[in-house]
Amino acid sequence: MLDFAVTTGSVAAVPWLSISILFPIAAALAIPFIPDAGDGKTVRWYALGVSLITFLVTAAAYLNGYDPSVEGLQLIERVEWLPDLGLAWSVGADGLSMPLILLTSFITALAVLAAWPVTFKPRLFFFLILAMDGGQIAVFAVQDMLLFFLAWELELLPVYLLLAIWGAKKRQYAATKFILYTAGGSVFILLAALAMGFQGGGAPSFEYSALAAKEFGTRFELLAYAGLLIAFGVKLPIVPLHTWLPDAHGEATAPVHMLLAGILLKMGGYALLRFNVQLLPDAHAQFAPLLVVLGVVNIIYAALTSFAQRNLKRKIAYSSISHMGFVLIGIGSFSAVGTSGAMLQMVSHGLIGASLFFLVGATYDRTHTLQLDEMGGVGQKMRKMFALWTICSLASLALPGMSGFISELMVFVGFVTSEAYALSFRIVMAALAAVGVILTPIYLLSMLREIFFGKENPELASHNQLVDAEPREIYIISALLVPIIGIGLYPRLVTDSYRASIEALVARENLAFNKVIGPIPTGLIRKSLVAPSLLPPALVRVSALA
């Protein structure tokens, strides 16, 4: 098996990642001591400043300490913490994590700006937002599985409180359902971490490099893979583990929407790549067809359900679930293009989902309703808002020139050209996934028509002063549209940052595929994926030793 440690880089001269994790958490702890009149004006400026500094720190880490051409771990920081338990403060970044670290700090800064109108318990609200910022960055940066579990758990309580305190009428139900689903799934992460760390005897070690060097055995890998798939499938979310998400989105406020859609869902996709694919490649070789099927189910089921929704928040929530299906297909494609498309889809959907849910919140603030039947005829009064909605919806339906188009195209091309699957399987799965691609513009464009140019609601038109988009709202959407359009026109802005890591990961998948002979459905996967001559020399030597 490939030794993960040989591809790691040098220790970071400046602890960029530790700063980006600990700074917002420490700053959040200082909020109770900030003088504030009670309306939150001072606290919100403080939170905005902290989130912007955190974003600048992550940007500095990328510019000063990260080399996109290196496939292994960089920006390494390691301090022994609890050596008797095999626990160390170990952080680093590679192509799987660096783009998502940048996305996290960027979306959080915009979410703080979106929370500008919050006046109810502002200290607690912004404390939770900043604590989430550090915790979510830690999920992508830590290189120890027990630390990963702790970081994964750190964001559960803030999200629960943000839903339970600032949510809508059914906030308690949505918050409780969220914590039950996600905490229940987290149990599998802890069990897998302990089992993998203690496997093989000797002193336990939970660092990714040590786990990647272990030989777990096929049965162990399959059990660990199944447990982790459930845990990460809840967060992605994978149908049928998705039902918490529409309820959470249905009750959340706009900044919480942005964090849920922009960051939390990506934690599931990242974890699948990091653990299921990278650390358990033999099991992944057998589970990959299931991921593809689940991805297609996500796309079709969620698109059809979104099409039928009359609640605006739930419509966009199911649309998010549908788009995350492409991530599953890309991860299961055994293709560098397809896996790269999955990574790009996570970044793209993080930006697009955050923009749509922010607009949902802004529209609700004006109309005080989420029912499409109660909206209509407001296009003449909110022309700027209509323009913003239109651009963001076109991005979501994968209009060429937007980031969603290139990411979904890469997933399709990577999967249909993959030699891991029989031609018939590829044709059937691609044809079914295309159904979701067809449904998406139908329900999004019909949604725009109903909101802005449908039958006018006399009560809404006469009793509500419909204010058009304000400068703060235009700025937030513009900040999201710049990378959405930039990536759509020049995808290498993002793909170059993880190309080397993805190629190494797929080569590792290919080795496992060639080695594994297990319960794979006949006719779906061929016996051999790639010729050894096409693999990097180092991997050929490892394959010969296996």
Side-chain angles (χ1 to χ4, degrees), residues 23 34 36 89-90 108 141 151 178 244 278-279 292 334 341 365 382 390 395 416 419 478 510:
F23 172 67
I34 297 176
D36 192 89
W89 175 261
S90 178
T108 302
F178 164 80
W244 65 271
Q278 189 173 64
L279 300 186
V292 174
F334 287 100
D365 290 340
M382 296 194 300
T390 302
V416 299
E419 295 184 0
S478 299
N510 294 344

Short mmCIF file of all heavy atoms in Angstrom, two decimals, residues 23 34 36 89-90 108 141 151 178 244 278-279 292 334 341 365 382 390 395 416 419 478 510:
data_model
loop_
_atom_site.label_atom_id
_atom_site.label_comp_id
_atom_site.label_asym_id
_atom_site.label_seq_id
_atom_site.Cartn_x
_atom_site.Cartn_y
_atom_site.Cartn_z
N PHE A 23 -7.99 31.39 16.04
CA PHE A 23 -8.28 32.83 16.15
C PHE A 23 -9.78 33.13 16.24
O PHE A 23 -10.21 33.85 17.15
CB PHE A 23 -7.64 33.58 14.98
CG PHE A 23 -8.05 35.03 14.91
CD1 PHE A 23 -7.65 35.92 15.89
CD2 PHE A 23 -8.85 35.49 13.87
CE1 PHE A 23 -8.03 37.26 15.83
CE2 PHE A 23 -9.23 36.82 13.81
CZ PHE A 23 -8.82 37.71 14.79
N ILE A 34 -17.27 42.54 25.31
CA ILE A 34 -17.30 43.70 24.43
C ILE A 34 -18.43 44.63 24.85
O ILE A 34 -19.58 44.19 24.95
CB ILE A 34 -17.49 43.27 22.96
CG1 ILE A 34 -16.30 42.43 22.50
CG2 ILE A 34 -17.65 44.49 22.06
CD1 ILE A 34 -16.47 41.89 21.10
N ASP A 36 -21.49 46.83 24.59
CA ASP A 36 -22.50 46.91 23.54
C ASP A 36 -23.80 47.38 24.17
O ASP A 36 -24.16 46.96 25.28
CB ASP A 36 -22.69 45.55 22.87
CG ASP A 36 -23.52 45.65 21.59
OD1 ASP A 36 -22.92 45.86 20.53
OD2 ASP A 36 -24.74 45.51 21.68
N TRP A 89 -1.91 17.35 18.07
CA TRP A 89 -2.45 18.47 17.29
C TRP A 89 -1.72 18.46 15.95
O TRP A 89 -0.60 18.91 15.81
CB TRP A 89 -2.24 19.79 18.01
CG TRP A 89 -2.67 20.99 17.19
CD1 TRP A 89 -1.88 21.82 16.47
CD2 TRP A 89 -4.00 21.47 17.03
NE1 TRP A 89 -2.62 22.79 15.85
CE2 TRP A 89 -3.94 22.61 16.18
CE3 TRP A 89 -5.25 21.06 17.49
CZ2 TRP A 89 -5.06 23.33 15.80
CZ3 TRP A 89 -6.36 21.78 17.12
CH2 TRP A 89 -6.28 22.90 16.29
N SER A 90 -2.37 17.88 14.97
CA SER A 90 -1.76 17.70 13.66
C SER A 90 -2.66 18.31 12.61
O SER A 90 -3.81 17.88 12.43
CB SER A 90 -1.55 16.21 13.38
OG SER A 90 -1.00 16.00 12.10
N THR A 108 -18.26 32.28 5.47
CA THR A 108 -18.56 32.74 6.83
C THR A 108 -18.51 34.26 6.93
O THR A 108 -19.36 34.88 7.59
CB THR A 108 -17.56 32.12 7.82
OG1 THR A 108 -17.62 30.69 7.74
CG2 THR A 108 -17.89 32.55 9.25
N ALA A 141 -8.82 20.85 7.97
CA ALA A 141 -7.37 21.02 8.15
C ALA A 141 -6.74 19.95 9.02
O ALA A 141 -5.55 19.65 8.84
CB ALA A 141 -7.07 22.40 8.74
N ALA A 151 -13.65 18.06 15.92
CA ALA A 151 -14.03 19.22 15.10
C ALA A 151 -15.41 19.03 14.47
O ALA A 151 -16.20 19.97 14.38
CB ALA A 151 -12.97 19.46 14.02
N PHE A 178 -32.16 17.76 13.45
CA PHE A 178 -30.79 17.95 12.99
C PHE A 178 -29.80 17.28 13.94
O PHE A 178 -28.91 16.54 13.51
CB PHE A 178 -30.47 19.44 12.87
CG PHE A 178 -29.00 19.74 12.77
CD1 PHE A 178 -28.34 19.59 11.56
CD2 PHE A 178 -28.27 20.15 13.89
CE1 PHE A 178 -26.96 19.84 11.47
CE2 PHE A 178 -26.91 20.41 13.79
CZ PHE A 178 -26.27 20.25 12.59
N TRP A 244 -33.49 15.55 7.38
CA TRP A 244 -33.24 16.65 8.32
C TRP A 244 -33.01 17.97 7.58
O TRP A 244 -33.31 19.04 8.12
CB TRP A 244 -32.02 16.35 9.19
CG TRP A 244 -30.73 16.28 8.42
CD1 TRP A 244 -30.18 15.19 7.83
CD2 TRP A 244 -29.85 17.37 8.12
NE1 TRP A 244 -29.01 15.50 7.20
CE2 TRP A 244 -28.77 16.84 7.37
CE3 TRP A 244 -29.85 18.73 8.44
CZ2 TRP A 244 -27.72 17.63 6.92
CZ3 TRP A 244 -28.80 19.52 7.98
CH2 TRP A 244 -27.75 18.98 7.23
N GLN A 278 -9.47 7.62 0.29
CA GLN A 278 -8.03 7.67 0.49
C GLN A 278 -7.53 6.62 1.49
O GLN A 278 -6.49 5.99 1.26
CB GLN A 278 -7.60 9.06 0.96
CG GLN A 278 -6.10 9.27 0.99
CD GLN A 278 -5.74 10.70 1.31
OE1 GLN A 278 -6.02 11.19 2.39
NE2 GLN A 278 -5.13 11.39 0.36
N LEU A 279 -8.26 6.42 2.59
CA LEU A 279 -7.78 5.51 3.63
C LEU A 279 -8.33 4.10 3.48
O LEU A 279 -7.75 3.15 4.02
CB LEU A 279 -8.15 6.05 5.02
CG LEU A 279 -7.56 7.41 5.40
CD1 LEU A 279 -7.90 7.75 6.84
CD2 LEU A 279 -6.06 7.46 5.17
N VAL A 292 -22.40 5.62 -7.14
CA VAL A 292 -22.95 6.14 -8.40
C VAL A 292 -24.47 6.02 -8.41
O VAL A 292 -25.19 6.97 -8.77
CB VAL A 292 -22.33 5.38 -9.60
CG1 VAL A 292 -23.02 5.80 -10.90
CG2 VAL A 292 -20.83 5.63 -9.68
N PHE A 334 -13.91 6.61 -10.59
CA PHE A 334 -12.58 6.09 -10.89
C PHE A 334 -11.92 6.88 -12.01
O PHE A 334 -11.15 6.35 -12.81
CB PHE A 334 -12.62 4.61 -11.28
CG PHE A 334 -12.89 3.69 -10.14
CD1 PHE A 334 -14.15 3.19 -9.91
CD2 PHE A 334 -11.87 3.33 -9.26
CE1 PHE A 334 -14.41 2.34 -8.85
CE2 PHE A 334 -12.12 2.48 -8.20
CZ PHE A 334 -13.38 1.98 -7.99
N GLY A 341 -14.25 16.92 -11.03
CA GLY A 341 -15.57 17.55 -11.14
C GLY A 341 -16.33 17.52 -9.83
O GLY A 341 -17.06 18.48 -9.51
N ASP A 365 -38.02 38.56 4.03
CA ASP A 365 -38.05 39.78 4.82
C ASP A 365 -39.01 40.81 4.23
O ASP A 365 -39.57 41.64 4.96
CB ASP A 365 -36.65 40.40 4.93
CG ASP A 365 -35.72 39.56 5.79
OD1 ASP A 365 -36.22 38.75 6.58
OD2 ASP A 365 -34.49 39.72 5.66
N MET A 382 -39.65 45.18 -7.48
CA MET A 382 -38.33 44.72 -7.02
C MET A 382 -37.51 44.25 -8.22
O MET A 382 -37.20 43.07 -8.37
CB MET A 382 -38.48 43.59 -5.99
CG MET A 382 -39.18 44.00 -4.72
SD MET A 382 -38.99 42.78 -3.37
CE MET A 382 -39.73 41.34 -4.09
N THR A 390 -32.50 36.00 -10.88
CA THR A 390 -32.35 35.40 -12.21
C THR A 390 -30.92 34.91 -12.44
O THR A 390 -30.70 33.78 -12.89
CB THR A 390 -32.73 36.41 -13.30
OG1 THR A 390 -34.09 36.84 -13.10
CG2 THR A 390 -32.60 35.79 -14.68
N ALA A 395 -27.18 30.28 -12.63
CA ALA A 395 -25.98 29.59 -12.17
C ALA A 395 -26.33 28.21 -11.63
O ALA A 395 -25.63 27.23 -11.86
CB ALA A 395 -25.27 30.42 -11.11
N VAL A 416 -18.73 8.85 -17.86
CA VAL A 416 -19.06 8.11 -19.09
C VAL A 416 -17.82 7.63 -19.81
O VAL A 416 -17.90 6.70 -20.63
CB VAL A 416 -19.94 8.97 -20.04
CG1 VAL A 416 -21.25 9.34 -19.38
CG2 VAL A 416 -19.20 10.21 -20.50
N GLU A 419 -13.30 3.61 -17.68
CA GLU A 419 -13.24 2.21 -18.08
C GLU A 419 -13.52 1.26 -16.93
O GLU A 419 -13.44 0.04 -17.09
CB GLU A 419 -11.87 1.91 -18.70
CG GLU A 419 -11.62 2.67 -19.99
CD GLU A 419 -10.31 2.27 -20.64
OE1 GLU A 419 -9.62 1.39 -20.07
OE2 GLU A 419 -9.98 2.82 -21.70
N SER A 478 -22.96 40.01 -5.26
CA SER A 478 -21.88 40.29 -6.21
C SER A 478 -20.60 39.58 -5.80
O SER A 478 -19.87 39.05 -6.64
CB SER A 478 -21.63 41.81 -6.28
OG SER A 478 -22.78 42.49 -6.74
N ASN A 510 -7.07 3.27 -8.56
CA ASN A 510 -6.84 2.32 -9.65
C ASN A 510 -6.04 1.11 -9.18
O ASN A 510 -6.31 -0.03 -9.59
CB ASN A 510 -6.10 3.01 -10.80
CG ASN A 510 -6.94 4.08 -11.46
OD1 ASN A 510 -8.15 4.14 -11.27
ND2 ASN A 510 -6.30 4.95 -12.22
#
